[in-house]
Amino acid sequence: MTKRVAIYTRVSTLDQAREGYSLSAQRKALTRWAKEHGYEIIGYYADEGISGKDIKHRPDMQRLLEDVAASKVDVIIVWALSRFTRSVADLYNMWNILNKHNCGIISYTEAFSKAIQYLGTKDERVVAVSAAMPSGTGLTKFAKRFPKRFFDVGIAEEHAVTFAAGLAAGGMRPIFAVYSS
């Protein structure tokens, strides 16, 4: 049976300006990921320019939780848990609601982050390359865990690709994670 997924995106004005997590970039990446994994997208929910400090003031979060309660959603896909909520109390309450209605949650960046760290433990040739967006691409934990195998080339995507190609030619296994909209 195909899982029915809801895609939830959120940015606050400050986050969008500072980190570059645009709603369109989140939606594009999450849609692609859901389709690649065979999920049926039942809806998009987006709260733009609204803080994640609580869920009371987020209309699409409220709509999403109503759809979860109505058993319309099997899985919620978010860019990162910080996009879902920044409140531990809200996260705990939402977790209870999701469990009550057999709904899961997948965080796109955390899944990638775990996968690349795992690869890093299995093969010392695995290196990560970022173009000034380690947090936006899920590379922050890899960078902390393997600082000598993480390279941030700054705002130079073209250089990052060339650099990764050079690393590969030298026998390394580069992973270049790019954040684009």
Side-chain angles (χ1 to χ4, degrees):
M1 182 172 148
T2 303
K3 293 215 182 238
R4 301 165 300 162
V5 303
I7 293 179
Y8 179 77
T9 58
R10 182 188 65 78
V11 295
S12 63
T13 305
L14 178 60
D15 284 338
Q16 187 173 15
R18 185 179 59 222
E19 300 290 339
Y21 301 114
S22 72
L23 289 177
S24 63
Q26 290 178 50
R27 182 176 174 148
K28 182 179 176 182
L30 298 178
T31 297
R32 182 177 57 243
W33 190 90
K35 288 179 179 179
E36 287 172 357
H37 287 81
Y39 291 123
E40 174 191 355
I41 300 169
I42 59 98
Y44 294 92
Y45 306 77
D47 288 313
E48 182 173 12
I50 301 174
S51 171
K53 68 179 179 176
D54 65 51
I55 63 170
K56 297 174 193 167
H57 303 97
R58 293 192 275 153
D60 263 20
M61 174 58 78
Q62 296 298 322
R63 187 171 64 89
L64 173 58
L65 293 176
E66 288 170 8
D67 286 351
V68 167
S71 298
K72 295 179 181 178
V73 180
D74 298 316
V75 178
I76 299 167
I77 303 175
V78 297
W79 179 258
L81 286 177
S82 65
R83 304 295 89 211
F84 195 56
T85 185
R86 290 191 179 273
S87 163
V88 174
D90 278 346
L91 181 60
Y92 178 78
N93 290 333
M94 286 190 284
W95 191 257
N96 286 334
I97 292 168
L98 298 181
N99 281 336
K100 181 179 177 182
H101 298 285
N102 297 314
C103 182
I105 185 166
I106 296 172
S107 168
Y108 178 81
T109 55
E110 278 86 0
F112 175 75
S113 179
K114 286 180 184 177
I116 190 171
Q117 287 180 74
Y118 174 78
L119 292 172
T121 63
K122 297 298 179 187
D123 189 340
E124 290 185 1
R125 297 173 299 164
V126 170
V127 296
V129 180
S130 173
M133 289 296 294
S135 64
T137 57
L139 293 177
T140 303
K141 290 182 181 178
F142 184 92
K144 288 180 182 174
R145 189 167 181 185
F146 306 104
K148 292 183 178 181
R149 292 167 37 200
F150 172 74
F151 304 94
D152 189 337
V153 300
I155 306 172
E157 288 83 356
E158 297 87 351
H159 173 68
V161 171
T162 305
F163 180 63
L167 289 167
M172 303 304 284
R173 301 284 185 247
I175 297 172
F176 171 45
V178 65
Y179 191 94
S180 65
S181 55

